[in-house]
């Protein structure tokens, strides 16, 4: 059972893909957020497990450094308990996603 002390950052974005420059910025943005550990929930909605509010804030500042000039990018951070109450009207959770703490590896940074 997932520990409820964790939080979930949900990233929503709507970026233009009209020009070649737009498309390149879109691809670069998606590549960057995947490097940060986000996985796709559905088109333009990504999610990442975070340890606490502090880590969520750090994540948001990292995202801000990698944003395209145009479009809409939003982040909502909720508790894992709230996230676990998501209701699927049609479709279901992506079974390829590892979504339990058995596979969660926490790396502590030593200072």
């Amino acid at each position: 059972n997932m520990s409820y002390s964790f939080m979930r950052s949900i990233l929503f974005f709507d970026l233009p893909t009209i020009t070649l420059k737009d498309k390149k910025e879109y691809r670069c943005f998606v590549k960057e957020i995947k490097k940060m550990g986000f996985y796709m929930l559905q088109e333009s909605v990504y999610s990442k497990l975070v340890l606490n509010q502090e880590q969520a804030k750090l994540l948001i500042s990292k995202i801000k450094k990698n944003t395209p000039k145009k479009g809409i990018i939003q982040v909502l951070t909720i508790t894992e308990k709230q996230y676990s109450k998501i209701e699927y009207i049609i479709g279901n959770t992506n079974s390829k996603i590892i979504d339990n703490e058995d596979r969660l590896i926490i790396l502590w940074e030593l200072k």
Side-chain angles (χ1 to χ4, degrees):
N1 191 350
M2 179 60 80
S3 170
Y4 287 147
S5 62
F6 291 109
M7 302 193 83
R8 186 74 65 145
S9 286
I10 304 168
L11 176 65
F12 306 88
F13 59 92
D14 192 359
L15 302 176
T17 54
I18 297 155
T19 67
L20 286 172
K21 187 176 185 285
D22 289 343
K23 289 175 184 171
K24 184 179 192 289
E25 284 188 349
Y26 178 94
R27 284 192 309 272
C28 288
F29 179 71
V30 170
K31 190 175 165 189
E32 283 304 313
I33 63 172
K34 284 180 177 176
K35 270 196 236 168
M36 290 178 211
F38 279 92
Y39 67 84
M40 187 194 287
L41 288 178
Q42 60 184 28
E43 198 71 37
S44 299
V45 181
Y46 283 70
S47 172
K48 177 181 170 58
L49 199 64
V50 291
L51 295 174
N52 52 40
Q53 197 65 47
E54 205 53 45
Q55 195 185 36
K57 283 178 189 165
L58 278 171
L59 190 63
I60 289 169
S61 64
K62 265 185 172 176
I63 293 165
K64 284 179 180 175
K65 289 177 188 152
N66 291 289
T67 57
K69 302 288 176 264
K70 296 180 284 185
I72 301 168
I73 298 171
Q74 300 159 300
V75 178
L76 173 66
T77 302
I78 59 175
T79 65
E80 190 59 22
K81 187 172 186 173
Q82 289 168 320
Y83 182 79
S84 72
K85 292 179 179 165
I86 195 166
E87 285 190 44
Y88 290 89
I89 308 301
I90 60 167
N92 54 27
T93 184
N94 186 342
S95 60
K96 289 183 292 206
I97 305 297
I98 297 159
D99 220 7
N100 65 44
E101 65 185 337
D102 303 337
R103 296 292 301 271
L104 179 67
I105 300 167
I106 299 168
L107 301 173
W108 296 101
E109 187 179 323
L110 299 174
K111 295 201 168 158

